[in-house]
Amino acid sequence: MKFEKNVEKILQMFGVAPSAFIAKGDQSVVYRISDEKIVKIFRSELRAFLESLRDFEQLLFTYRLPFDLQKIYEINSIGETYFTVEKKLKGKTLGKLFLSLTTKQKEVATKNYFDALKTLHQIKLPSSRFGQVLETKDRITSASWSDFLIKKLDQRAQLAHDWLANGVTDVQEKLHLLKQFALTQLGQPEKCIVHGDYFYNNVLFDDQCRLTAMLDFSNSTVIGDFRMDISCAIIFFDLDLHYARYLYKLAAMNYGKDIVRFIKYYKLYYAFYLTESYLYNEGLYKWCLRSLNDKSLWKAIAIV
């Protein structure tokens, strides 16, 4: 209730009606201020996170990516509710656009969605530590990618212990296997920027099926293994099964058939990582449980 009242005050501050609503996520709501600006209102984020996000976005702009990015103009708060004034980006999310496309357009859009990751992953930050980029309460970094993953898995498993124990068989054995895979199979990847939450509602497209913007870098954004993003792009693509398969085909064509095994590994990693969705997204939580109880996934990453 307090959050809703603060939202009302913020909208009044900008002379914005509730009808200017654009989007709602698990952690924020977004309203249109003008043709050029939006206001994003956060449920629980702190200034340190938002300032680090602003600085990170400014860093990304220096690489002149072929698509637009969010830009924070102002960080402010009413009470404990923080909000940002940001650039209004052009385009529609792929999720909104997809069903209206022809078969050929869907193929073009899906390929453009996949190829945008190559450009992002060209950004290398060799002097950075592996792990989370932004300032959050749960931030973890490390000198090695495998150590980061292991620490993050332990952190999330501890947080979601009761939900995992009730919904997943052989939790500790599975957690151990994920850690062993990280230690023995992933190697030490190049330190590239990984979006970490890359799926069809975090990209915008124009009417010619061109990707115009990439959205929502978050506490999931890391310096690490590009294969994490490849997995994320595919495992959450539930718009059309045919094009989900097409994404697997593109991944194999671009990175070799072995990529499929790593996609399945990161699917299980995300299932552990997102188990906290029990608190805010029932559908996502059920997906986590199905994945963690899927014997074929565990068989695919078994270490011989």
Side-chain angles (χ1 to χ4, degrees):
M1 183 64 71
K2 188 175 182 180
F3 174 74
E4 284 71 20
K5 287 192 175 297
N6 284 340
V7 169
E8 291 179 12
K9 292 178 182 178
I10 293 167
L11 295 182
Q12 290 170 4
M13 178 189 303
F14 290 102
V16 172
S19 59
F21 171 82
I22 295 176
K24 178 181 179 181
D26 294 325
Q27 300 301 325
S28 65
V29 290
V30 183
Y31 293 85
R32 177 181 174 273
I33 296 177
S34 68
D35 290 341
E36 304 297 328
K37 294 181 180 179
I38 61 169
V39 59
K40 184 180 290 187
I41 307 168
F42 296 89
R43 294 183 181 277
S44 60
E45 299 298 0
L46 300 177
R47 180 176 287 274
F49 168 80
L50 296 173
E51 288 177 346
S52 68
L53 176 60
R54 177 198 58 202
D55 295 345
F56 177 67
E57 290 170 351
Q58 289 174 350
L59 171 67
L60 289 181
F61 271 109
T62 67
Y63 289 92
R64 300 183 181 278
L65 294 165
F67 43 78
D68 212 347
L69 301 162
Q70 290 170 293
K71 184 175 183 179
I72 295 176
Y73 298 123
E74 176 188 343
I75 301 170
N76 215 323
S77 65
I78 285 184
E80 297 177 355
T81 302
Y82 278 89
F83 63 89
T84 55
V85 176
E86 302 186 14
K87 180 179 181 180
K88 186 177 184 296
L89 300 174
K90 294 180 173 60
K92 297 179 181 178
T93 65
L94 183 57
K96 288 183 178 178
L97 185 66
F98 199 79
L99 292 179
S100 66
L101 300 179
T102 66
T103 299
K104 180 60 179 176
Q105 287 174 325
K106 287 179 179 178
E107 183 173 321
V108 171
T110 303
K111 188 173 188 303
N112 289 341
Y113 161 75
F114 183 81
D115 286 346
L117 284 174
K118 295 179 186 177
T119 309
L120 181 69
H121 296 156
Q122 286 174 4
I123 301 175
K124 306 294 195 300
L125 299 174
S127 62
S128 298
R129 286 169 64 83
F130 287 103
Q132 290 166 276
V133 173
L134 304 180
E135 293 293 336
T136 64
K137 292 180 289 187
D138 68 348
R139 188 183 186 202
I140 292 175
T141 65
S142 178
S144 79
W145 179 241
S146 59
D147 184 64
F148 162 72
L149 291 178
I150 289 168
K151 288 178 177 177
K152 182 55 68 173
L153 284 167
D154 281 337
Q155 182 190 70
R156 304 303 282 190
Q158 183 176 6
L159 180 68
H161 177 270
D162 292 341
W163 310 319
L164 287 166
N166 291 330
V168 180
T169 60
D170 304 319
V171 174
Q172 293 305 317
E173 290 85 347
K174 290 174 176 176
L175 187 59
H176 177 72
L177 178 55
L178 287 177
K179 294 177 184 180
Q180 288 301 113
F181 192 99
L183 281 170
T184 63
Q185 307 297 309
L186 295 182
Q188 189 81 321
E190 286 190 280
K191 294 176 179 177
C192 69
I193 291 177
V194 177
H195 185 286
D197 189 20
Y198 191 80
F199 80 117
Y200 52 78
N201 280 336
N202 279 340
V203 286
L204 300 181
F205 278 72
D206 63 17
D207 292 336
Q208 282 73 51
C209 301
R210 295 174 298 202
L211 191 145
T212 59
M214 190 177 292
L215 314 177
D216 285 351
F217 291 90
S218 67
N219 63 336
S220 297
T221 300
V222 298
I223 304 299
D225 187 356
F226 76 91
R227 293 171 295 191
M228 177 179 274
D229 267 347
I230 302 301
S231 177
C232 198
I234 294 173
I235 63 178
F236 296 119
F237 196 91
D238 57 4
L239 295 174
D240 186 303
L241 182 59
H242 171 75
Y243 293 98
R245 293 190 184 114
Y246 179 53
L247 284 168
Y248 269 107
K249 182 179 178 181
L250 289 174
M253 287 171 56
N254 283 272
Y255 303 108
K257 292 182 179 179
D258 286 347
I259 191 70
V260 174
R261 188 172 183 232
F262 297 106
I263 291 170
K264 292 181 177 180
Y265 172 78
Y266 282 117
K267 181 175 184 177
L268 290 166
Y269 171 85
Y270 271 107
F272 263 101
Y273 181 80
L274 294 170
T275 312
E276 191 185 2
S277 59
Y278 175 88
L279 296 172
Y280 58 84
N281 189 325
E282 182 181 1
L284 180 57
Y285 175 66
K286 288 181 178 179
W287 175 87
C288 292
L289 295 187
R290 286 196 305 272
S291 300
L292 292 173
N293 287 316
D294 186 337
K295 293 180 180 179
S296 67
L297 288 175
W298 293 103
K299 183 177 180 180
I301 71 161
I303 301 171
V304 179

